[in-house]
C-alpha cells in the first residue's frame, strides 16, 4: 500500500499567525487563531525538549492550548481524563512515564506542574516535528487489565483528519460545534485538532446539551448517539439544527429510530462514521453520497477494510454474511505503549488491525457494524469500558468474592453497566463509592446486584450471556 506524506500536522495553525479569525471558544473563553498560536507557543517554551507530558484534559480552553503547545514543541501529549479515579490517574502517569503535568496543580500528582495560561503570549517559532513522531498517547480500555496507551503518530493523525475533510468537505468555511470530552479520539483529535488543521472555528459547549448545540449556530456538529437521542427528545433544539450543513454521529451505533427522528426534525440525514482509538476514523458516509440508517459507509481515502471468518477466509460482500472487521491504512496506531504482546495480538501477520468488531459489507462497499466479538467490551454513552477493569476494581473490596460485569441494552446510553457480585452482603452504594476510588465516573456500574452464585459453564467460565438474558427477563 503506498502512503503519501501529509502536510505537517499543525500547518494551518502556524500559517495563521497574525490572523484575527476565531479559532476556538470553550464555554465563555475564546481565542483567535493568532492568540491561540501565541498561547500554545508559550506552553511549547515551557515543555520543549520533554518527551511526553500529561495534560489535565478538562473541557476547557486550557486543554486546547496545552495540546496545541505539545504539538508545536513536538512533545507527545498524554490526555488524562479529569474525572479518572486516583488509581486510574496513577496508572496513566506511571505507564506513560510522563515528565510533566500540564494543568492546575493537584495533590495526588507528584510530577513537576506547568500551569497553562491561555492569556500567555510567545512569539517563538518551532520546526514541525517528524511525521513519525508521537502526537498523542490515548488511554483506552481492553477487555481485561488496566487501560492501554495507544500511541498515535503525527502522520496518523494528519492522514485521519485529511480523510475526514475529503469525506465531509470540511473546510475553513465550517463552524464546528460539539461538547464532547477532550481526552478521546472523537472530542480531541477530530473535535479539536480537526478544527485547527482545517481552519474551521470550534465552539465547544463544555457539555453536549441539546440546548447548547441549538444555540451555537454551527455548520458541522459532532455527537455520540446518546447526544443525538437527547437532541431529538428536545424537539425545538433539534429543529434549530436544520440550518447546519452536517450532523455527524459516531463512537457507537446510532439507533435507526434516532437517525429517522433526526431526518424528520432537521430535514437532513445524519452522517455516520466509525472508528477506534487504535485506527482513528476509518469508515464514513459522505457529504455527497448515500446515508443509510444503521450503516456506517465506506472506507475513507487511503483506508482498506476486509472481513474474515474464524478460519481467516475472506467473507463475501453480500450485505449479509458476518465477518471480523480488519483495517489497514496510514491512520493506524504505532503500538500499545509498553505492551508488545498486546500489540502483536491485535495485528494480523500481514499488517491489518483486528478491530474486534463484527460487520457486514454490501456489494457497494457499505459497512454495517453488527456488534463486538467480545461481550467484555462495553460501550456506554460512547465510552469504551472493559468489563475486566471494572471487575478488578470490585474484587479489591474485601466483601466481594466474585464479580461479573456486563453491558445491558439502554435506550439512552446504548449499553448500561451492571455488576453481579458474590460475597458478604454489602451496601451497593458503598461498593459504588469504592469503585469510584479507582475508576472514572462512566466506568462505574449503574447497578450492582448481589447473587449467591454466578452461572458458569463446565470450564468454570462465567456465562455472561445468561446474566444479560436473565436481566432482560427481569430475573
Ligand atoms: C454517570 N453518573 C454517574 C454514573 N454515571 N453517577 C454515579 N455512577 C455512575 N455510574 C453521573 C454523571 O456524572 C452525571 O452527573 C449524571 O450521572 C448523568 O450522567 P449521564 O447520564 O452519563 O449523562 P452525562 O454525564 O451527561 O453523559 C452522557 C454523555 C457522556 C453522552 C454526555 O457519556 C459523554 O460525554 N460521552 C462521550 C464519550 C466519548 O467521547 N467517546 C468517544 C470515544 S472515541 P453530573 O452531576 O455531572 O450531571 C471513539 C472513536 C470514535 O469512540 O469512533 O469516535
Ligand atoms: P474507542 O476505542 O473508544 O474509540 O471505541 C471504538 C469502538 O467503538 C469500535 O471498536 C466500535 O465497537 C465502536 N464504534 C465506533 N464508532 C461506531 C459506529 N459508528 N457504529 C458502531 N460502533 C462504533
Amino acid at each position: 500500500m503506498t502512503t503519501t506524506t501529509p502536510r505537517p500536522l499543525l500547518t494551518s495553525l502556524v500559517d495563521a499567525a497574525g490572523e484575527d479569525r476565531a479559532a476556538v471558544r470553550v464555554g465563555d473563553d475564546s481565542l483567535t487563531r493568532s492568540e491561540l498560536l501565541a498561547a500554545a507557543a508559550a506552553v511549547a517554551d515551557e515543555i520543549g525538549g520533554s518527551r511526553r507530558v500529561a495534560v489535565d484534559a478538562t473541557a476547557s480552553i486550557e486543554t486546547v492550548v496545552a495540546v496545541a503547545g505539545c504539538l508545536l514543541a513536538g512533545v507527545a501529549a498524554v490526555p488524562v481524563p479529569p474525572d479518572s479515579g486516583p488509581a486510574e490517574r496513577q496508572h496513566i502517569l506511571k505507564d506513560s512515564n510522563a515528565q510533566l503535568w500540564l494543568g492546575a496543580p493537584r495533590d495526588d500528582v507528584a510530577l513537576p506542574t506547568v500551569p497553562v495560561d491561555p492569556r500567555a503570549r510567545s512569539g517563538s517559532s518551532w520546526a514541525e516535528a517528524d511525521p513519525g513522531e508521537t502526537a498523542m498517547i490515548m488511554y483506552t480500555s481492553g477487555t481485561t487489565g488496566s487501560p492501554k496507551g495507544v500511541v498515535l503518530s503525527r502522520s496518523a493523525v494528519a492522514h485521519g483528519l485529511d480523510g475526514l475533510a475529503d469525506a465531509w468537505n470540511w473546510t475553513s468555511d465550517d463552524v464546528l460545534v460539539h461538547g464532547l470530552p477532550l481526552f478521546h479520539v472523537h472530542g480531541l483529535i477530530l473535535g479539536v485538532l480537526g478544527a485547527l488543521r482545517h481552519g474551521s472555528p470550534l465552539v465547544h459547549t463544555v457539555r453536549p446539551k441539546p440546548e447548547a448545540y441549538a444555540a451555537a449556530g454551527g455548520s458541522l456538529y459532532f455527537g455520540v448517539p446518546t447526544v443525538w437521542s437527547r437532541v431529538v427528545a428536545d424537539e425545538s433544539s433539534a429543529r434549530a439544527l436544520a440550518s447546519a450543513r452536517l450532523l455527524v454521529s459516531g463512537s457507537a451505533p446510532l439507533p435507526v429510530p434516532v437517525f429517522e427522528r433526526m431526518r424528520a426534525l432537521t430535514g437532513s440525514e445524519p452522517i455516520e462514521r466509525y472508528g477506534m482509538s487504535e485506527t482513528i476514523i476509518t469508515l464514513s458516509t459522505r457529504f455527497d453520497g448515500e446515508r443509510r440508517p444503521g450503516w456506517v459507509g465506506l472506507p475513507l481515502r487511503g483506508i482498506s477494510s476486509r472481513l474474515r471468518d474464524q478460519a481467516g477466509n475472506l467473507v463475501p460482500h453480500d450485505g449479509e454474511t458476518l465477518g471480523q472487521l480488519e483495517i489497514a491504512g496510514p491512520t493506524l496506531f504505532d503500538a500499545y505503549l509498553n505492551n508488545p504482546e498486546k500489540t502483536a495480538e491485535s495485528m494480523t501477520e500481514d499488517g491489518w488491525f483486528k478491530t474486534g468488531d463484527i460487520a457486514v459489507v454490501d456489494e457497494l462497499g457499505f459497512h454495517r457494524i453488527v456488534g463486538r466479538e467480545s461481550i467484555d467490551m462495553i460501550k456506554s454513552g460512547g465510552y469504551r469500558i472493559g468489563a475486566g477493569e471494572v471487575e478488578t476494581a470490585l474484587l479489591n473490596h474485601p466483601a466481594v468474592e466474585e464479580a461479573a460485569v456486563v453491558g445491558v441494552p439502554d435506550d439512552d446510553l446504548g449499553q448500561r453497566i451492571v455488576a453481579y457480585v458474590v460475597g458478604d452482603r454489602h451496601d451497593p452504594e458503598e461498593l459504588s463509592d469504592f469503585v469510584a476510588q479507582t475508576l472514572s465516573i462512566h466506568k462505574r456500574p449503574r447497578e450492582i446486584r448481589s447473587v449467591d452464585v454466578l452461572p458458569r459453564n463446565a470450564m468454570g467460565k462465567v456465562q455472561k450471556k445468561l446474566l444479560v438474558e436473565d436481566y432482560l427477563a427481569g430475573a
Side-chain angles (χ1 to χ4, degrees):
M1 203 168 303
T2 52
T3 303
T4 50
T5 307
R7 76 196 154 91
L9 185 53
L10 266 181
T11 301
S12 137
L13 181 65
V14 173
D15 288 350
E19 249 193 68
D20 288 332
R21 262 160 47 82
V24 55
R25 188 168 89 220
V26 185
D28 294 331
D29 299 322
S30 59
L31 290 170
T32 64
R33 296 186 70 82
S34 56
E35 288 167 347
L36 173 58
L37 178 63
V43 169
D45 290 344
E46 299 275 347
I47 65 169
S50 306
R51 185 158 176 236
R52 290 179 199 144
V53 306
V55 175
D56 184 15
T58 52
S60 66
I61 207 148
E62 281 80 1
T63 298
V64 177
V65 170
V67 171
C70 291
L71 291 176
L72 214 51
V75 174
V78 183
V80 180
D83 71 335
S84 47
E88 192 175 336
R89 184 175 301 111
Q90 292 315 324
H91 164 71
I92 295 175
L93 295 179
K94 189 158 175 260
D95 188 66
S96 67
N97 207 4
Q99 293 153 286
L100 299 170
W101 174 258
L102 265 182
R106 291 185 64 105
D107 290 344
D108 60 351
V109 173
L111 293 172
T113 294
V114 177
V116 179
D117 181 359
R119 290 156 309 178
R121 302 287 179 260
S122 163
S124 62
S125 62
W126 297 79
E128 175 78 24
D130 187 271
E133 291 289 325
T134 302
M136 199 92 65
I137 301 175
M138 296 253 167
Y139 276 80
T140 192
S141 298
T143 49
T144 56
S146 302
K148 299 187 292 268
V150 173
V151 179
L152 292 167
S153 69
R154 298 171 77 94
S155 160
V157 172
H159 274 292
L161 296 176
D162 290 352
L164 292 177
D166 173 61
W168 301 343
N169 196 27
W170 184 358
T171 70
S172 58
D173 291 338
D174 279 307
V175 173
L176 172 65
V177 178
H178 72 91
L180 296 167
L182 299 184
F183 46 86
H184 281 311
V185 160
H186 199 162
L188 183 56
I189 295 194
L190 276 56
V192 173
L193 301 187
L196 298 183
R197 182 167 176 82
H198 302 316
S200 59
L202 165 67
V203 177
H204 190 281
T205 58
V206 183
R207 292 189 72 166
K209 301 247 187 228
E211 58 280 16
Y213 274 34
S219 65
L220 179 60
Y221 283 76
F222 292 170
V224 296
T226 301
V227 169
W228 292 122
S229 77
R230 292 178 185 185
V231 165
V232 297
D234 174 352
E235 284 197 15
S236 67
S237 293
R239 288 188 199 285
L241 301 184
S243 55
R245 190 175 69 82
L246 293 179
L247 307 178
V248 183
S249 178
S251 305
L254 182 68
V256 169
V258 177
F259 181 110
E260 281 163 356
R261 285 299 286 157
M262 289 174 79
R263 175 167 51 199
L265 292 170
T266 69
S268 65
E269 297 175 323
I271 289 274
E272 286 188 70
R273 95 296 177 286
Y274 159 90
M276 289 189 80
S277 307
E278 291 89 337
T279 62
I280 314 188
I281 306 309
T282 51
L283 305 170
S284 182
T285 51
R286 292 184 57 87
F287 78 101
D288 55 357
E290 182 191 359
R291 302 176 203 170
R292 198 189 300 168
W295 294 71
V296 296
L298 304 162
L300 291 179
R301 199 173 59 193
I303 301 292
S304 307
S305 73
R306 71 184 185 193
L307 289 184
R308 294 207 297 166
D309 63 19
Q310 297 277 8
N313 301 313
L314 289 176
V315 159
H317 290 186
D318 57 8
E320 283 177 14
T321 312
L322 302 178
Q324 298 164 344
L325 179 64
E326 296 176 350
I327 296 286
T331 64
L332 259 54
F333 72 139
D334 289 342
Y336 293 118
L337 190 68
N338 309 324
N339 210 332
E341 293 86 18
K342 287 270 184 244
T343 307
E345 269 172 36
S346 72
M347 303 295 296
T348 66
E349 279 176 7
D350 54 348
W352 293 65
F353 177 73
K354 300 186 231 172
T355 63
D357 288 304
I358 305 294
V360 299
V361 180
D362 76 0
E363 295 80 356
L364 300 172
F366 249 59
H367 291 59
R368 184 161 71 86
I369 308 297
V370 177
R372 295 280 317 171
E373 261 175 83
S374 171
I375 197 167
D376 286 328
M377 190 64 90
I378 300 167
K379 266 265 156 164
S380 187
Y383 285 114
R384 168 168 154 185
I385 300 137
E389 194 185 349
V390 187
E391 286 158 4
T392 304
L394 287 164
L395 285 167
N396 281 330
H397 191 281
V400 176
E401 285 163 23
E402 295 174 57
V405 166
V406 292
V408 300
D410 184 282
D411 285 345
D412 180 45
L413 298 168
Q415 286 183 299
R416 167 169 90 253
I417 305 175
V418 176
Y420 286 82
V421 293
V422 178
D424 295 342
R425 291 286 143 184
H426 50 261
D427 175 17
E429 215 164 291
E430 188 231 311
L431 205 47
S432 190
D433 288 348
F434 178 79
V435 174
Q437 292 166 24
T438 313
L439 301 173
S440 43
I441 292 172
H442 59 271
K443 294 182 181 171
R444 296 173 201 164
R446 302 261 169 169
E447 200 179 323
I448 298 182
R449 294 189 165 193
S450 282
V451 288
D452 294 331
V453 61
L454 293 172
R456 291 184 185 271
N457 65 14
M459 311 288 289
K461 191 169 166 9
V462 178
Q463 292 180 292
K464 292 196 173 180
K465 269 196 179 145
L466 286 184
L467 287 176
V468 175
E469 281 166 22
D470 286 354
Y471 185 95
L472 294 176

